[in-house]
Amino acid sequence: MNEKNMDEMITPKRKIRMIVTDMDYTLLNKEKKISAVNRKAIKEAMEAGVHVVLATGRLFSSAVYYAKELEISTPIIASNGAIIAESDLSRIYYQKTLPLEAGREMLKLCRERGLFCHLYTKDAIYTEKIVNISERYLEWNDRLNEADRINIVLEPDLGTTLDREHRHVLKAVVVDKDERKIAGIREEILKTGVVEVSQSLPDNIEVMDKEVNKGRAVEFLAKMYDVHPDEIMAIGDNENDLPMIKFAGLGVAVGNAEQCLLDHADHVTARYDEDGVAQVIYKYVLV
């Protein structure tokens, strides 16, 4: 465990004007919902004039559901920063697709290991088999209204899909419990020299263009809103949150965060299932 104490209070260099929060295992609880406590803290922060930004590895259309629930007016960062857009897609501020050669190499590496790759666009997930990540989204769809459901497209040949949709593919994801297989794919895909690879959960890797990460996305919005990095608080739990934790003047790890994040965070708040987001908002923003 990191040596930082959750009760330890540090002094931000400037007043916090922007809060950026990851979603899964950070803002959302075990039921994938926003608790009443977290919702109240975020509402109060926005009423105080603070920009609140969702920054997630999720599909863009999945993040929209939560942005609507929170009545957030700032753009959403999705697919680890591959897209930054208004929730209704009326304006896309930034979009960077996965290089075609990287997509083809990911499919090859996954097939060699008997795994199923998933391709993300802004509004759909393409897969050859409903398994792991697509299975989770499918289960989540059962709880949603038809208008809010994730578009999961089952394809007979993802190679053909990639050739057809590559100008829209933002991210490739593979999930498996065998960490050796995942590590092997990570090592090989990095050799292409054109990708950024990160994890949002221990059993997956997420592959984007080499210019894409949450830190760069937060930097983009900071410039857009004329917010200094020292006026930003970023909250996360895993490797894909590390770039924004490093960029923000106040980087916060939830208590359940992976060690890589705990090692670099300025502060450790409570766990995701103990309203850690609300706790740190009240500690550093609503004071």
Side-chain angles (χ1 to χ4, degrees):
M1 178 67 180
N2 177 273
E3 293 180 355
K4 298 180 181 71
N5 190 317
M6 285 193 293
D7 296 324
E8 180 184 358
M9 183 78 172
I10 65 173
T11 303
K13 296 176 182 178
R14 300 191 186 190
K15 181 179 180 181
I16 300 299
R17 296 176 54 215
M18 179 182 287
I19 299 167
V20 186
T21 179
D22 172 52
M23 288 172 46
D24 292 287
Y25 300 98
T26 300
L27 175 63
L28 307 182
N29 61 22
K30 291 180 179 179
E31 288 74 43
K32 300 299 181 184
K33 296 180 179 179
I34 303 169
S35 71
V37 175
N38 279 344
R39 189 183 303 112
K40 180 174 181 291
I42 288 172
K43 181 180 180 181
E44 290 178 11
M46 290 191 296
E47 289 174 347
V50 178
H51 302 290
V52 177
V53 179
L54 297 181
T56 179
R58 282 185 179 226
L59 190 75
F60 183 86
S61 56
S62 174
V64 168
Y65 173 83
Y66 295 99
K68 288 179 178 178
E69 181 180 340
L70 291 168
E71 299 181 337
I72 287 176
S73 59
T74 50
I76 294 168
I77 297 170
S79 290
N80 288 332
I83 183 170
I84 307 170
E86 299 290 346
S87 59
D88 61 358
L89 289 173
S90 59
R91 185 170 181 183
I92 297 176
Y93 296 94
Y94 177 87
Q95 185 169 258
K96 190 74 173 179
T97 57
L98 181 69
L100 179 57
E101 65 268 33
R104 288 172 174 165
E105 182 67 8
M106 272 296 291
L107 296 183
K108 173 179 170 290
L109 292 170
C110 289
R111 285 169 177 161
E112 288 173 352
R113 292 161 175 80
L115 304 182
F116 292 91
C117 187
H118 290 66
L119 301 178
Y120 284 44
T121 64
K122 66 180 183 295
D123 53 12
I125 296 175
Y126 295 89
T127 181
E128 292 176 352
K129 184 178 181 180
I130 302 298
V131 62
N132 295 318
I133 194 72
S134 53
E135 189 172 38
R136 294 171 196 168
Y137 271 118
L138 197 63
E139 291 171 356
W140 192 60
N141 276 350
D142 290 339
R143 296 181 285 170
L144 301 177
N145 296 323
E146 187 174 351
D148 294 322
R149 289 174 184 167
I150 303 305
N151 185 19
I152 302 169
V153 183
L154 195 59
E155 296 277 4
D157 179 9
L158 216 53
T160 301
T161 306
L162 181 64
D163 289 340
R164 184 185 74 235
E165 300 289 339
H166 73 270
R167 290 183 179 84
H168 306 287
V169 173
L170 302 173
K171 184 175 76 166
V173 180
V174 60
V175 180
D176 194 77
K177 294 179 180 178
D178 190 330
E179 294 182 4
R180 291 174 301 176
K181 289 182 178 180
I182 295 295
I185 292 174
R186 181 176 189 143
E187 180 181 357
E188 291 299 318
I189 196 65
L190 281 170
K191 291 178 181 178
T192 65
V194 298
V195 296
E196 171 88 1
V197 181
S198 68
Q199 289 182 270
S200 58
L201 292 170
D203 61 354
N204 75 21
I205 58 168
E206 307 182 355
V207 180
M208 298 77 58
D209 181 272
K210 66 179 180 180
E211 295 181 3
V212 169
N213 64 53
K214 289 187 181 183
R216 288 195 176 101
V218 174
E219 181 179 9
F220 181 96
L221 287 182
K223 290 177 180 177
M224 178 173 142
Y225 286 112
D226 193 25
V227 174
H228 190 277
D230 288 342
E231 298 172 318
I232 299 172
M233 179 171 73
I235 316 165
D237 76 298
N238 218 315
E239 181 188 21
N240 66 332
D241 300 313
L242 191 55
M244 72 176 187
I245 293 297
K246 289 181 176 180
F247 176 78
L250 181 57
V252 178
V254 286
N256 52 282
E258 293 297 314
Q259 193 61 47
C260 64
L261 211 69
L262 293 169
D263 288 341
H264 289 89
D266 301 303
H267 177 78
V268 180
T269 187
R271 291 173 50 87
Y272 78 106
D273 50 359
E274 296 172 346
D275 301 317
V277 169
Q279 183 189 99
V280 79
I281 288 175
Y282 286 121
K283 184 182 285 286
Y284 290 112
V285 182
L286 301 174
V287 291

